[in-house]
Amino acid sequence: MSNGEHTDLPLISWQPHECRIIPFPMVKRVRKIRETAMKWLEKPTERSADHYERQVTEAMEASLKKLGLPDLEMAEQVTAFWSAVDREARRIMDAEQWQG
């Protein structure tokens, strides 16, 4: 048996397939969105709300980066999350307005 015969073995020539990480969409994390909107609305000043937003964004980006998500996809996830938080905050404010 020559060395050339061993290269025909399926395990030696096998190459793993590329994989793609598909995280659970941030926009579907309803509990996180609601909690974030409530905490965001509780901030006493716009400056503290902005600081809270930066903290949440940085934590989210670090988590997504650890998963190996590309920067563009990470930005899309974060943007969609904050759009959902904004909608939820408006919903909360409207509900509070109707309650009294």
Side-chain angles (χ1 to χ4, degrees):
M1 213 191 287
S2 69
N3 287 340
E5 293 176 32
H6 291 286
T7 60
D8 293 341
L9 295 174
L11 291 177
I12 294 174
S13 63
W14 179 80
Q15 294 293 319
H17 295 286
E18 272 191 43
C19 67
R20 180 171 176 244
I21 303 294
I22 303 173
F24 189 77
M26 297 301 293
V27 75
K28 300 292 185 185
R29 297 179 183 196
V30 177
R31 183 177 179 178
K32 177 72 172 167
I33 290 166
R34 286 185 181 150
E35 289 174 353
T36 302
M38 290 174 64
K39 288 178 186 176
W40 195 40
L41 289 171
E42 290 172 356
K43 298 302 175 187
T45 65
E46 188 173 336
R47 183 177 178 195
S48 63
D50 289 345
H51 178 72
Y52 177 67
E53 186 175 335
R54 279 192 306 277
Q55 285 180 315
V56 171
T57 299
E58 288 171 6
M60 205 180 319
E61 287 174 343
S63 176
L64 294 172
K65 186 171 233 145
K66 190 185 282 188
L67 291 175
L69 210 63
D71 289 344
L72 179 61
E73 205 168 326
M74 188 171 21
E76 289 171 355
Q77 289 285 328
V78 171
T79 300
F81 175 80
W82 281 109
S83 292
V85 169
D86 185 56
R87 282 191 304 275
E88 181 64 16
R90 290 174 193 271
R91 189 194 66 74
I92 292 168
M93 289 187 302
D94 287 347
E96 288 175 357
Q97 185 179 26
W98 282 103
Q99 288 179 355

